[in-house]
Amino acid sequence: MRRLLIGGGLGALVVSVLAVSLAACGGSGGDSASERELQRQADLYAIDQIEKTWHRATSEQDVDLMMSLWAPNATFNVGPGETLTGKEEIRRFWVDAPVFQAENRWVSETPAYKIRITLNGDRGTLYFECHYVDPKTGKVIRVVGADQQVARIDGRWLITNYIGASPSLTP
């Protein structure tokens, strides 16, 4: 009798676990509001990682890491009438940029309150400022605004268009 009760209880447990598993995997096939919100938060996080990687690349003078942020056909507006197109032209810019020169061992950072991200499906925008600081003197050497369009391409968020921006002095 005892064996029958244990066996019956175990069978009921297996059926319950199977029913919960099927319910979790099945359903209407549509995204729930919580799944959409979770995806939105993941996308915002991934876009924010572009800013963090940018600063790591410039602080460590790693051009390859910088180039990992750009879409193959990205555009980079570095000034009035000067737009670079494609990763090859953009790479040449960074190789010659002051922040990547061996004699300039600057640290790059952004005040967190100056980061702005928007998201619309597989596209978005990212704005942040680069404050380049000489760690030997503690002085800010340069401040540059980065106003970018980003897109999810092959599952990764990449910069598709960059326009240099004048940093605002207000939060």
Side-chain angles (χ1 to χ4, degrees), residues 7 16 18-19 23 26 52 56 67-68 71 73 89 93 121 125 133 150:
S16 296
L18 185 58
K52 289 172 177 40
R56 191 171 120 224
M67 295 313 302
S68 73
N73 58 347
E89 286 184 18
F93 171 86
T125 63
V133 179
V150 296

Side-chain angles (χ1 to χ4, degrees), residues 15-89:
V15 169
S16 296
V17 169
L18 185 58
V20 169
S21 297
L22 289 174
C25 293
S28 64
D31 289 337
S32 71
S34 62
E35 289 171 328
R36 286 190 304 275
E37 178 58 20
L38 184 61
Q39 182 62 56
R40 186 176 98 56
Q41 291 299 320
D43 289 339
L44 291 170
Y45 177 81
I47 293 170
D48 186 54
Q49 292 307 299
I50 292 172
E51 177 267 334
K52 289 172 177 40
T53 301
W54 179 291
H55 291 298
R56 191 171 120 224
T58 55
S59 294
E60 295 175 4
Q61 298 182 325
D62 187 339
V63 175
D64 291 333
L65 182 59
M66 173 61 77
M67 295 313 302
S68 73
L69 299 173
W70 298 83
N73 58 347
T75 57
F76 185 12
N77 181 316
V78 293
E82 186 179 1
T83 300
L84 309 174
T85 303
K87 287 179 87 165
E88 191 174 312
E89 286 184 18

